[in-house]
Amino acid sequence: MKTILIPTDFSKNALHVLQYAQELYKCERSCFFVLHAFAEEVYGEYNTANKDGIDKIKEEKKQVVERKLDELIDSVIGEPPNPLHNFETVACFDNLVDGVNDFVDEMNIDLVIMGTKGETSDHKTTFGSYTIEIFKYVKCPVLAVPEGFEYKQPKAILFPTDYLLPYKRRELKLLGDLAGKFKSKVHCLYITDFDELSPRQADNKLFVEETLTKPYLYFETAPIKNKAEVILEKIAEKEAGMLVMMNSRHSFFEDMLYRSTVDLLGLKIKIPFMVMQNLKR
């Protein structure tokens, strides 16, 4: 059974993500954990209360959140409900990033699926601040779904990578299972001005080839220029339905997390964006 964590702020975009997740795993046994972290709501609204007052407010807020989570689940379960899907709700007294990270560890979550921005995010950007924080720090693959994206099977997936770091088999298998299920083409793109791979890169590329056995796998290179522009060009060229990248220290993805670059790429990405973490769990 796949374990999927879906953080929600009860916004329209968060509801859309929950519906998308059900479609993505329609034919697979899955447990969806829907989590709302509410610590900031308590401390932000009632920062002058004493400890007893905070405890009372916390309990009242938790009851409100649990009711809203139950209502949310009731609103998205189909008629008849999918017998392959289970839903669990989590009212978490913590900040969003820590709450998600702790729950990922506790329940050994396979994938976090969330919106690219929440209710309070700036509409001039695609990636909200919470999305970026979860991209950077949560020890689990994260799939961000753009606002308003209509579900469709990803027949082509773009995977920019430099083959410099070893991959986690579990994360590649997650990608392979997803792509294999839809008979997707996975295009591994190396942006470089060099023709040859180092021995380490060659080994890591071979590991990708041996692990991603279910989808159709393609390898190609593109010359270095503005990397965000290369990725956007390849998304259009391949008609990619999903973008996958690795988050690792000193990687292009880390460079991309500077706000100006995120906005440059993010404003034009209209497809789901998966970040694999390559971190020990």
Side-chain angles (χ1 to χ4, degrees):
M1 177 182 288
K2 283 286 187 295
T3 53
I4 314 296
L5 176 60
I6 304 174
T8 184
D9 60 359
F10 304 111
S11 65
K12 182 178 179 182
N13 193 25
L15 172 62
H16 169 66
V17 169
L18 184 51
Q19 294 167 332
Y20 171 88
Q22 291 178 86
E23 286 294 326
L24 190 66
Y25 286 98
K26 179 190 293 185
C27 299
E28 195 162 346
R29 289 183 66 240
S30 307
C31 184
F32 299 99
F33 295 93
V34 185
L35 177 148
H36 179 76
F38 64 94
E40 292 185 15
E41 298 169 34
V42 172
Y43 290 132
E45 293 178 22
Y46 307 101
N47 55 12
T48 60
N50 58 29
K51 183 180 183 304
D52 290 340
I54 286 289
D55 288 343
K56 180 180 178 183
I57 293 162
K58 181 169 69 173
E59 186 57 37
E60 291 172 349
K61 176 65 74 171
K62 181 181 179 182
Q63 292 176 14
V64 171
V65 168
E66 287 175 339
R67 186 185 73 249
K68 291 174 72 174
L69 285 169
D70 288 341
E71 291 171 353
L72 175 63
I73 297 303
D74 288 342
S75 72
V76 296
I77 293 178
E79 290 293 341
N82 189 330
L84 298 176
H85 290 174
N86 294 330
F87 294 87
E88 302 284 346
T89 60
V90 184
C92 173
F93 184 69
D94 207 335
N95 67 67
L96 180 62
V97 176
D98 288 343
V100 168
N101 215 9
D102 290 346
F103 196 82
V104 161
D105 280 344
E106 178 187 350
M107 301 304 296
N108 197 25
I109 295 295
D110 292 310
L111 178 65
V112 175
I113 305 181
M114 64 185 301
T116 50
K117 57 188 176 186
E119 193 170 24
T120 59
S121 296
D122 183 352
H123 286 279
K124 295 180 181 179
T125 66
T126 291
F127 300 117
S129 58
Y130 284 128
T131 308
I132 292 172
E133 292 298 299
I134 288 179
F135 276 163
K136 289 173 69 174
Y137 298 119
V138 170
K139 298 178 182 180
C140 173
V142 179
L143 178 61
V145 183
E147 189 174 26
F149 178 80
E150 291 188 15
Y151 171 80
K152 55 185 175 183
Q153 295 180 359
K155 292 303 183 183
I157 296 173
L158 184 66
F159 181 21
T161 179
D162 57 15
Y163 308 113
L164 285 173
L165 292 174
Y167 306 94
K168 296 297 182 187
R169 186 181 299 275
R170 175 177 178 175
E171 297 192 345
L172 281 181
K173 186 175 183 301
L174 178 78
L175 172 60
D177 289 346
L178 191 65
K181 176 172 60 176
F182 298 125
K183 296 182 171 54
S184 306
K185 298 176 181 178
V186 175
H187 297 274
C188 298
L189 174 67
Y190 180 27
I191 303 173
T192 181
D193 285 331
F194 299 99
D195 293 331
E196 294 187 8
L197 298 177
S198 70
R200 174 191 292 181
Q201 288 175 305
D203 285 345
N204 290 336
K205 179 182 176 183
L206 180 61
F207 183 73
V208 171
E209 196 167 359
E210 291 175 342
T211 306
L212 295 181
T213 56
K214 293 182 180 179
Y216 302 104
L217 195 58
Y218 300 86
F219 295 95
E220 61 183 283
T221 61
I224 289 179
K225 50 178 181 177
N226 183 302
K227 291 185 178 180
E229 289 181 1
V230 173
I231 289 172
L232 290 168
E233 287 172 5
K234 291 296 181 179
I235 288 173
E237 177 188 320
K238 307 298 183 186
E239 297 182 346
M242 183 178 291
L243 173 65
V244 178
M245 295 182 70
M246 299 292 300
N247 177 18
S248 57
R249 297 298 178 218
H250 313 301
S251 68
F252 168 52
F253 181 82
E254 186 181 59
D255 296 340
M256 199 190 81
L257 290 175
Y258 289 104
R259 170 57 60 185
S260 59
T261 313
V262 168
D263 291 348
L264 173 64
L265 189 59
L267 278 170
K268 299 180 182 179
I269 288 182
K270 307 300 181 187
I271 58 175
F273 182 20
M274 182 188 290
V275 178
M276 296 193 292
Q277 301 298 347
N278 198 36
L279 296 171
K280 184 176 180 181
R281 297 177 63 186

